[in-house]
Amino acid sequence: MRRKGKMIEKEINSSFLNERMTLQIYHPETFSDLYKYEICIMQDGKDYFQMGRIATLSDKLHDEKEMHNVVFVGIHYKDKHDRRKKYHPSGEQNEAYTNFLVREVVPYLDELIPTYHMGKTRSIIGDSLAGTLALMTAMKYPHTFGKVGMQSPYVDDAVLAYVEQAKPFSTLDIYHTIGTKETEVHMSDGNTADFVEPNRNLNQALKKAGASYTYHELEDGIHTWKYWQNDMRRLLTTLFD
């Protein structure tokens, strides 16, 4: 299907990561400097555009007036090792990557695109480890990111402890899904893990934390893009209605 909007690529020379990072930016068809836009930043960016079909969905939902004006921004990783270093809560580049997002990507996008310059109108979304990164970043910087979409996030004791100790999340809108069959997920370190029980524990912790919070268990869902893509419309209409 032909895209109606426009995809552009920009590069940032990140001083935090000491590397050149590419942003894939998708403008809706009606994009104009006369309007203001919400920004949605996606880790695993190429996956969201290719397998999540975000551009096609953006066209459709903007046409149907099911969504505010949103510009989608994808940031991708080099390989699974690079991804783990940047996205995993204890990855050696996790702090640098978070600083890159908050102190380089967001100010750059605020210059490039007519935005509201408010946390409530910025979202960060991701699947699996990228979902974990989205949640942790928004918890640390709630005035930068007001919305989180996480699909089957990786959850360990450190993530749960962080949520349980965090301040009330009254400023955050969070969308969270897990598949009911994600009991043996193959991870990038070669191990397998049960994602279901930890995500149910995260669900309980987030409910207590006072966020505006939507949680769904995807029936028979496993840890693949088939299930995340099928849920993408609901994710976007929940966060951007």
Side-chain angles (χ1 to χ4, degrees):
M1 189 181 286
R2 193 179 67 80
R3 288 173 175 163
K4 294 181 174 180
K6 184 179 177 189
M7 184 78 81
I8 59 171
E9 283 199 357
K10 296 286 185 182
E11 291 189 334
I12 293 180
N13 286 314
S14 172
S15 58
F16 291 101
L17 294 167
N18 294 318
E19 65 180 286
R20 185 179 295 220
M21 301 293 289
T22 301
L23 310 184
Q24 280 185 292
I25 302 168
Y26 191 69
H27 290 172
E29 183 181 19
T30 55
F31 183 84
S32 160
D33 288 337
L34 301 174
Y35 304 131
K36 286 200 185 301
Y37 292 84
E38 287 201 30
I39 300 281
C40 178
I41 298 176
M42 310 174 296
Q43 316 318 307
D44 290 354
K46 282 183 184 164
D47 296 341
Y48 270 95
F49 280 124
Q50 288 166 9
M51 292 181 281
R53 301 182 198 143
I54 280 282
T56 306
L57 255 177
S58 170
D59 290 346
K60 196 171 168 53
L61 294 174
H62 279 104
D63 280 353
E64 294 169 4
K65 306 282 191 283
E66 289 281 318
M67 188 166 80
H68 304 310
N69 283 341
V70 182
V71 170
F72 289 94
V73 180
I75 306 170
H76 209 59
Y77 51 89
K78 288 193 284 241
D79 55 36
K80 68 179 184 180
H81 306 294
D82 181 59
R83 182 176 185 269
R84 190 175 176 83
K85 268 192 247 180
K86 290 182 168 114
Y87 297 177
H88 195 286
S90 58
E92 59 251 49
Q93 283 191 300
N94 180 267
E95 192 178 340
Y97 188 78
T98 304
N99 275 315
F100 157 69
L101 289 174
V102 172
R103 304 185 202 288
E104 293 179 324
V105 175
V106 167
Y108 178 77
L109 293 173
D110 280 347
E111 285 287 310
L112 187 69
I113 296 161
T115 67
Y116 293 95
H117 298 256
M118 285 160 50
K120 263 289 183 219
T121 58
R122 287 193 207 99
S123 318
I124 183 165
I125 70 175
D127 62 286
S128 197
L129 260 186
T132 317
L133 178 90
L135 177 66
M136 301 294 276
T137 304
M139 283 196 299
K140 288 172 188 162
Y141 298 97
H143 300 298
T144 303
F145 293 105
K147 297 178 183 178
V148 177
M150 49 178 176
Q151 299 178 285
S152 309
Y154 165 78
V155 180
D156 60 15
D157 291 343
V159 172
L160 282 171
Y162 196 89
V163 172
E164 282 158 4
Q165 289 158 19
K167 296 182 179 75
F169 290 175
S170 53
T171 61
L172 288 182
D173 289 334
I174 299 174
Y175 182 92
H176 175 198
T177 57
I178 186 69
T180 58
K181 291 202 169 162
E182 295 193 53
T183 50
E184 290 186 23
V185 175
H186 295 279
M187 298 194 297
S188 55
D189 62 1
N191 294 318
T192 59
D194 173 20
F195 272 44
V196 180
E197 198 58 37
N199 269 273
R200 286 176 176 160
N201 293 336
L202 178 61
N203 167 38
Q204 293 304 316
L206 286 169
K207 273 186 189 163
K208 284 184 196 152
S212 164
Y213 178 54
T214 303
Y215 174 74
H216 295 288
E217 292 195 358
L218 309 181
E219 201 54 48
D220 295 331
I222 56 174
H223 203 76
T224 66
W225 268 100
K226 176 186 170 186
Y227 290 91
W228 299 328
Q229 201 284 322
N230 285 343
D231 192 55
M232 200 61 66
R233 184 186 180 107
R234 181 168 63 183
L235 184 157
L236 296 182
T237 52
T238 300
L239 287 181
F240 305 117
D241 181 15

